[in-house]
Amino acid sequence: MSTSWGSSGPRSVLLAGLGNPDRGDDGFGPAVLARLARLSLPEAERIVCARPLDLLDRWPGRRLAIVVDAAMGEEPGRLRRLEPLCQGLPRPTACSTHGLGLAEAIDLGRSLGLLPARLIVYAAEGLDFSPGAPLSPRVAAAVEEAAARIAAECRG
Amino acid sequence: MAVRKLTLEALARVEGEGSLELSLHEGKVETARLKIFEPPRFFEAFLRGRALSEVPDIVARICGICPVAYQMSAVHALEQGLGIALGGPLRLLRRLLYCGEWIESHVLHIVMLHAPDFLGLPDAIAISRDHRAEVERALTLKRAGNEILRLLGGREIHPINIRVGGFYRLPTPSELSALRDKLEKAGQEAVALLRWVATFPMPDCERDYEFVSLRHPSEYPMNEGRLVSSRGLSCLPEEFDAEFEESHLPHSTALYCRLRRRGSYLAGPLARYNINFDRLSPRVQSLAREAGLGPSCRNPFRSILVRSVEVLFACEEALRLLSLYEPPEAPSVALPAIPGEGHAATEAPRGLLYHRYRFDREGTIEEARIVPPTSQNQASIEEDLRLWAERHLSEPEESLRDRCEQAIRNYDPCISCSTHFLRLQIRRR
């Protein structure tokens, strides 16, 4: 998690960007969070996070948590909005490690009582996850729309 | 020749990608080949031409689980080449930082990745349903480890506050005081974790390993010491090449590291524990004994217990270091502008990590060498698999696959790459 010194106390909304900005479209989450940082959302705490499991420390007590991530898909840049507490989240085949993914973090949060009251996931389907690659153009084009929709959810 | 091929789609709970091929003949395992892909070799190449001041930030990117280990081996090697050695509070803070990484890396592996093997459960989610308190305990402990990394490293993954010569920023007294409270709680949780792990059923399996770890005159080793083995090796990190050799085998992109004249060896928690039991505090020794561990342990499956002892040690050590800390005058020392070559080995959570650098007067890296623990253990993992699979050849193949997965997980291997499957091929003839 890219939390650094001097973070403020918990607010009612958590906006979390998942992903690695140095891995092509995997940087979608951090890119949306960077865009959201320029908007005035006084209720929201914003973090960029590399390990979904770390969200378990940040979710409890939140009215709303929105996670922004990239997803494997067929149509680059297509934006998906999911409410995993209502409809579940597809669990991809083991994607690393040491890696417990977002779906596992949500399942763990459920059994340990660490989920926010409401959880929304925005995921953009990605095309290129190569090391060092930038966002592909269609994924980059989805950043603005995702940020606008997320800001509206926060204010709503 | 009847060849039967089995493919395991995913070895979950191991870092990265690898594949395992077992060749069986007349009830014997002829070969066990663990094929792994390893990125540090590329790092060695693209570190050339970079400024030595950039090295800690670059090598941190080798691993998201143990970035501190890569940073520590790098700064120690570079400082040795510059002819400086940090003492006092800066040395203390580095050891404290390493404690944080041991705690978070070990706890993740023990509870989330390895414990399911012993409890007959598929994953950590299932553990959280049946053993909720234990998973909550793991998260508390992991949080404490993360907290150390965040405070001293600036962030939890790929820390940014480590520099050759010290740190960029020092923690404030109030930040350290808040950390102390969390570590006291973590220390209690670590005792409970060890007692829980001690209840796991353990397979009966011992091997006569040659253990290799650092050995320090007075401390349980992390950042410095001689390279020592359970069969008489004792050398300085700069003598690494005289005692160890790396070789490339066609089936793996990772180099195999062996002791010259002797062959495979084992690095990691089991090695550290066997060589350095007397460097643990009497309290930790006593709790280890209570958990069923003596001064020696040669059962690779019991590495989960040894990791739990090391978590307890790291919590206790972190508190001890905090009690001794007096702020230094400056967060780092000045570096001389000289050419040099330096070596260092430190103890990553999963074992010995050796670095060597050569640089010119301007501080430009001319050559870099990194020998990570997983490549050192690769031959030993294969030997474990040969022994362990042979013992279970009569079992259905699915069960045999599970056994092999568990034997690999004993090592908490870091096999990072871009895709993430371990394929198991069993060839019978």
Side-chain angles (χ1 to χ4, degrees), chain A residues 1-63:
Chain A
M1 196 177 292
S2 67
T3 317
S4 53
W5 302 292
S7 59
S8 56
R11 296 178 206 174
S12 66
V13 176
L14 180 76
L15 306 178
L18 288 182
N20 184 342
D22 297 321
R23 291 297 297 269
D25 291 339
D26 198 37
F28 179 71
V32 173
L33 264 288
R35 179 69 190 87
L36 286 165
R38 303 212 299 267
L39 305 178
S40 171
L41 300 167
E43 263 196 283
E45 182 182 350
R46 284 162 275 226
I47 62 168
V48 170
C49 179
R51 298 182 297 204
L53 197 60
D54 291 331
L55 291 169
L56 295 180
D57 291 339
R58 302 299 194 107
W59 279 340
R62 307 279 184 177
R63 164 176 80 75

Side-chain angles (χ1 to χ4, degrees), chain A residues 3 5 57 97-98 111-112, chain B residues 15 128 132 143 151 154 412:
Chain A
T3 317
W5 302 292
D57 291 339
T97 182
H98 291 155
S111 67
L112 299 176
Chain B
E15 169 71 34
S128 72
R132 178 175 172 156
R143 214 173 283 133
L151 179 57
D412 186 12

Side-chain angles (χ1 to χ4, degrees), chain B residues 259-285:
Chain B
L259 276 162
R260 291 184 192 275
R261 302 173 290 279
R262 295 214 286 277
S264 71
Y265 61 96
L266 187 146
L270 217 53
R272 283 194 292 263
Y273 181 87
N274 276 276
I275 291 174
N276 297 288
F277 180 81
D278 60 343
R279 298 289 188 258
L280 293 167
S281 72
R283 174 174 172 267
V284 174
Q285 286 183 11

